[in-house]
Amino acid sequence: MPKFVLDAHRLIGPHPFDDLPEDPRPDLDRLGIDQALVTHTLSLYTDPQAGNDALLRIDDPRLIPVPVVVPGFCESSGVMVRLCPERHRFDLTGPVALRTVAALGVPVAVDLEESSPGQLLRLAGEVPKLLVLNPGYRRLRAVAELMAEAPNVWLEIGTVNTQRGVEWLAGQFGARRLVFGTGAPVMDDCGPRFLLDHLDLPQDDIELIASGGDLL
């Protein structure tokens, strides 16, 4: 098992569509996850500013805030920020969004389902690092093309649940550009944790993926 595990994609707070746990810490303990980058559900589903305010009131070193930015409306910052262009109805590569993220100067996380490799390539040119969330396994070659073109793109592996998919990515781009994440509690966290523990990679590579490498 890895010595230190960082979940680079986790939610905290109430979920409007299901009865899911609001506090991630019991599940972190259960799965042996030491720390998590967390976004508030209010920021995703209702009021970005209210969710960010609630997120920044959390005082626990295990939970690292990742606020949601809506360019021109809600422009919070942290060690990393998240953009949700489809949910919040803005152009990911529009002039306002690109100016906003360039000014923040921190890594940015975007869900692949809310964007496209072409948009992400354009965005990568304006940010120090770009973390692609939920890539799945059906679009691995498109994601690989993006990673080949933009060396500042990192990939969250929680949904790369195809045989040796993570190993293939590590061979192509190095384990340092892959990070463990779950998307929990909306998405399953046991599967990604099992995947992490059973990667057919050198232990040093597994430790890099588990700890987030040099993403932050």
Side-chain angles (χ1 to χ4, degrees):
M1 292 179 62
K3 297 173 185 175
F4 181 88
V5 180
L6 169 75
D7 185 344
H9 179 205
R10 189 171 276 267
L11 303 179
I12 190 169
H15 192 281
F17 310 117
D18 208 342
D19 183 19
L20 296 171
E22 296 185 20
D23 187 344
R25 285 168 287 198
D27 285 334
L28 297 183
D29 293 337
R30 175 175 58 85
L31 294 172
I33 298 173
D34 300 282
Q35 206 168 32
L37 297 170
V38 293
T39 295
H40 206 286
T41 53
L42 292 177
S43 298
L44 293 181
Y45 300 115
T46 56
D47 184 336
Q49 189 60 62
N52 291 346
D53 291 344
L55 184 68
L56 295 175
R57 288 195 295 269
I58 298 170
D59 185 20
D60 187 329
R62 295 183 70 188
L63 306 178
I64 303 171
V66 178
V68 169
V69 167
V70 182
F73 168 68
C74 175
E75 298 181 1
S76 183
S77 189
V79 297
M80 183 167 74
V81 298
R82 183 166 177 177
L83 300 179
C84 307
E86 185 174 298
R87 285 178 181 149
H88 296 136
R89 300 295 188 266
F90 65 88
D91 185 348
L92 183 64
T93 56
V96 175
L98 294 179
R99 282 198 302 267
T100 297
V101 296
L104 289 173
V106 298
V108 171
V110 182
D111 194 315
L112 180 60
E113 292 185 358
E114 292 204 41
S115 58
S116 69
Q119 288 182 312
L120 294 173
L121 180 61
R122 176 72 179 90
L123 182 66
E126 303 294 334
V127 301
K129 294 178 183 178
L130 174 60
L131 174 62
V132 179
L133 306 175
N134 292 329
Y137 61 89
R138 293 182 176 89
R139 300 176 69 187
L140 281 189
R141 294 200 178 276
V143 169
E145 184 178 353
L146 169 65
M147 295 181 74
E149 290 294 318
N152 63 331
V153 170
W154 270 246
L155 195 71
E156 182 243 316
I157 67 164
T159 55
V160 185
N161 52 356
T162 188
Q163 185 176 15
R164 296 191 62 80
V166 176
E167 288 86 347
W168 179 75
L169 288 166
Q172 294 290 313
F173 307 108
R176 59 173 285 274
R177 293 177 65 191
L178 306 176
V179 298
F180 169 75
T182 65
V186 175
M187 301 181 72
D188 169 58
D189 52 9
C190 294
R193 188 66 179 87
F194 181 88
L195 173 66
L196 180 67
D197 286 339
H198 292 82
L199 291 174
D200 185 15
L201 289 170
Q203 188 61 32
D204 287 349
D205 285 353
I206 295 173
E207 297 290 351
L208 272 175
I209 295 170
S211 65
D214 56 357
L215 173 63
L216 299 179

